Amino acid sequence: MRQFNEDTLTDAVIARLKDVKNPRFKKLMTSAVKHLHAFARDVELTEEEWFEGIRFLTAVGQKCDDKRQEFILLSDILGLSMMVVALNHKTARGATEATVLGPFFAHGAKEYGYGADLREGCTVKGEDVYVTGRVLGVDGKTIPNAALDIWQAKADGIYDLQTDGEFELRGRVKANAKGEYAFASYKPKFYSIPVDGPVGELVRATGNHHMRPAHMHAIVSAPGYQQVITHVFVEGDPYLDGDAVFAVKDSLVGKYKKVNDAALAKKLGMPNPFLKLAWDFRLSSEKKGVKARKKIAASDAVA
Ligand code: BEZ
Ligand code: FE
């Protein structure tokens, strides 16, 4: 057959996949063709609209470089990133929930021990906070020597990677043999996703805002346990119900409490009273886990 119309074209394209050897690739391609054609039929896509879509995707590609991944940002604001997290990371009961990685993780951050000061070298001062907690298994037993990769935006809502500066408010914090970790930082603030590119254009066209509720990022890893890529959000943040990338989970909202402890404040170089966040991470064991996310290792490329 050589002549196709809107009713026969989809099957014809799918038929061309008949000799594809890899069954997973065949399934992905078949479904992609089916859904793309169904979309075009559903909206009766015009040639102008098709070309506008091509222009948009071209601009998204052109905005990407080794520091900026506009396609991931597009996936984030369309909820696709969180859909993939939901499908692939069904955490064991009681384990810390996973959420979106985002574009600002970087390898090679400084390693710290218990009591790290992530404020060192930070060019934008914020509200001091002391973050403490434990890394536990879902059975409640502490896990010794876990690693916590921590990163967050500065108080002006900008990540260190968005400027040409050094790493700031970022570090690989090792928990101690008792499974406890602690570090000083600044309280995170809500911020805008990068909107100076085509994704920003798209968000503005929908009339939605482009803000993310305040959060710190954490990747918690320990041998024998599933690594978790997660956030800790800030209770009371005005954007918790409207996160631009749909990444909020109720179980990930933390309370930043005012603490009056002059001796500790002095030791930490903080004004008294200061803020404290007490937060435990709970990891599922590797064996019992359903499906693990690919682990982020020191050798991986920047996301
Ligand atoms: C972030 O949390 O860093 C982030 C996540 C998705 C899009 C933009 C930023
Ligand atoms: Fe973030």
Side-chain angles (χ1 to χ4, degrees), residues 73 76 100 102-104 159 191 193-194 212 215 217 231 245:
L73 195 58
D76 291 340
V100 74
F104 300 125
Y159 278 84
Y191 64 84
I193 60 167
R212 293 222 56 210
H215 57 274
H217 294 256
H231 288 13
V245 304

Side-chain angles (χ1 to χ4, degrees), residues 3-297:
Q3 192 167 313
F4 306 106
N5 60 31
E6 66 200 73
D7 297 320
T8 57
L9 187 57
T10 307
D11 286 344
V13 177
I14 290 170
R16 294 248 173 114
L17 299 167
K18 71 178 187 335
D19 294 331
V20 172
K21 297 268 176 312
N22 181 322
R24 180 65 184 164
F25 178 55
K26 191 169 185 171
K27 186 170 182 173
L28 292 170
M29 286 299 297
T30 303
S31 183
V33 168
K34 257 192 211 162
H35 285 91
L36 274 172
H37 285 211
F39 161 73
R41 275 195 300 268
D42 182 36
V43 300
E44 297 194 33
L45 195 66
T46 67
E47 285 175 307
E48 289 75 22
E49 289 161 346
W50 172 83
F51 195 73
E52 178 55 21
I54 298 289
R55 182 206 67 77
F56 175 76
L57 291 174
T58 304
V60 170
Q62 286 167 340
K63 192 73 187 167
C64 294
D65 58 28
D66 55 353
K67 278 197 165 165
R68 175 83 176 247
Q69 231 308 349
E70 195 77 356
F71 272 112
I72 294 186
L73 195 58
L74 178 60
S75 160
D76 291 340
I77 64 119
L78 293 177
L80 180 61
S81 306
M82 279 309 292
M83 177 60 81
V84 174
V85 170
L87 290 169
N88 288 278
H89 202 84
K90 305 200 192 305
T91 20
R93 215 177 220 239
T96 298
E97 290 191 275
T99 191
V100 74
L101 175 67
F104 300 125
F105 171 74
H107 292 284
K110 185 170 166 184
E111 296 209 3
Y112 294 92
Y114 186 91
D117 190 353
L118 302 188
R119 300 167 302 173
E120 64 177 13
C122 184
T123 49
V124 185
K125 303 284 169 253
E127 217 180 328
D128 297 88
V129 61
Y130 192 47
V131 186
T132 64
R134 296 168 301 168
V135 181
L136 307 159
V138 284
D139 55 5
K141 291 197 181 119
T142 51
I143 302 171
N145 308 317
L148 296 90
D149 286 290
I150 304 292
W151 71 104
Q152 66 172 81
K154 292 171 280 178
D156 58 1
I158 307 284
Y159 278 84
D160 51 1
L161 300 191
Q162 292 177 284
T163 55
D164 286 335
E166 302 289 307
F167 281 169
E168 293 174 74
L169 297 186
R170 176 185 297 274
R172 188 169 171 83
V173 179
K174 290 296 291 277
N176 64 20
K178 290 190 278 180
E180 301 158 342
Y181 74 90
F183 60 87
S185 187
Y186 293 126
K187 185 183 176 190
K189 242 190 115 180
F190 53 77
Y191 64 84
S192 169
I193 60 167
V195 287
D196 57 336
V199 170
E201 205 184 294
L202 180 64
V203 174
R204 280 188 292 276
T206 64
N208 286 314
H209 73 75
H210 41 80
M211 302 301 288
R212 293 222 56 210
H215 57 274
M216 77 172 190
H217 294 256
I219 300 178
V220 186
S221 324
Y225 291 86
Q226 281 184 42
Q227 182 184 66
V228 67
I229 299 175
T230 190
H231 288 13
V232 184
F233 294 95
V234 178
E235 191 178 78
D237 187 277
Y239 294 105
L240 281 173
D241 289 322
D243 184 0
V245 304
F246 309 94
V248 177
K249 309 223 180 220
D250 287 337
S251 71
L252 302 181
V253 180
K255 272 195 174 78
Y256 285 69
K257 290 187 184 150
K258 265 225 155 94
V259 168
N260 199 328
D261 184 337
L264 185 56
K266 190 165 174 220
K267 195 170 142 208
L268 297 170
M270 293 182 181
N272 191 43
F274 58 94
L275 288 174
K276 194 168 172 193
L277 169 69
W279 193 260
D280 290 342
F281 294 95
R282 288 171 196 268
L283 306 183
S284 326
S285 109
E286 207 148 48
K287 283 161 257 146
K288 287 186 207 135
V290 186
K291 238 185 189 179
R293 238 163 152 173
K294 184 179 174 288
K295 283 192 185 181
I296 290 192

